[in-house]
Structure formats: C-alpha cells, structure tokens
Amino acid sequence: DAGVIQSPRHEVTEMGQEVTLRCKPISGHDYLFWYRQTMMRGLELLIYFNNNVPIDDSGMPEDRFSAKMPNASFSTLKIQPSEPRDSAVYFCASSFRPETQYFGPGTRLLVL
Amino acid sequence: RKEVEQDPGPFNVPEGATVAFNCTYSNSASQSFFWYRQDCRKEPKLLMSVYSSGNEDGRFTAQLNRASQYISLLIRDSKLSDSATYLCVARPAGSYQLTFGKGTKLSVIP
C-alpha cells in the first residue's frame, strides 16, 4: 500500500497568492482529516470528511481556507489569499478506525 | 487552556536509561487515549493505545488514570532510535476526532 499521498511536499509562495494542497487517502478509508502543525500551536485539526462529506470544519481558521473532497480518492485544501501566518506543515490523514489515523508526509508551506 | 497538555522537554537521556512522559487532559468526555510518535520532519505515527488497566508493548508501558485525567508513557532501556517527539492524544466517545498534545521531545544520547 502506498500510504497517504500528499502534494506538493514543499511550497513557497508570496503573500496574496492562492495555494492548493492535495491529498490521496489510503484506498478503503472512509475518513479523511486535514491538520496544520506549527511550533506554537502544535497539531490542530482543520476539517474532516466521512464518505466525502465534510463533518466538522470548526477548526478552519477563517474564510480564506476551504476544503473539498470530490471523490473517495482525492481531497484539496485551498488557501486564498495566503498570508505569512499560514506558514506551517499541513498534514492529511485517513482512517477506517477511530484510533488509527494514517498520516501523509505533509506539505511544508512557507508564505513570504 | 489546551485540552491535552504535555511537558515539551526536551528530555536528554543516555542510552539504556528509563524515561517517563506525562500528559494531562481536560475533557472528561475523552474516552480513548493514544501515544503517537513523530520523528524529526516526518509525520506522526501511532505508537500505542492506552488502556485503563495499563498496557505494555516491549519496552513501552502506557498507563491511564481517569480520576486524575492523567496519562503516562514509560520507555525502558532507551535506544538511540527512540529519539523523537511523543504526542499524547485523546479522543471523545463516539468521535473520530483526535486532540493532540504539543508533544514531548526525547533525545537519547550515546
């Protein structure tokens, strides 16, 4: 199994630009999670989906952030417009059981 | 106050030492608990679940005290490969949401 796949692995952009992060969950997993990790705040849940439907987006910091899951094998997290304080590592994770979430390698985002 | 709190460390210990990490959680509705491990610049990975009766996996022992809302992880005979950040995690009943602590960094020194 290839595991959770995320792209790009690194992204450097300028303030105001749109950023799109991509995730392919493990086949057969019906839950998908987006997290953000920073030194100051640790790992925070942004949003999660069940069977492609958003269940809880209360962690999304503001309207500049949006996430979609058009099918069971693909999800995107978009930031528009990006700001320097969005710089972080963004992880996607998938699971079929509550206790075991499998994380992707993450996308390191730097907004200048 | 963060829902899951941990001592950030770092803990610097020699090989072969025993080291213990502690964690407290504030949400009494939390039902399940876990320890995840995160290597430098890598993703978190499940290390072990934590059961009320305490559980052991090789050199690792996890314990839960619901009355005190306290979780611990004990590592015996530390190896260089144990160097990582250990994340304490809580999950409310009936939910797939995990709440992560900020992690405790461990460095095992030769």
Side-chain angles (χ1 to χ4, degrees), chain B residues 18-30:
Chain B
T18 295
V19 60
F21 304 139
N22 302 319
C23 165
T24 58
Y25 61 96
S26 60
N27 184 357
S28 58
S30 296

Side-chain angles (χ1 to χ4, degrees), chain A residues 37 40 56 99 104 108, chain B residues 34 38 41 43 97 102:
Chain A
Q37 187 174 38
M40 288 296 294
D56 187 341
E99 66 272 19
R108 295 185 175 274
Chain B
F34 315 94
Q38 186 172 21
R41 300 182 71 83
E43 69 274 19
Q97 293 191 53
K102 292 176 70 174

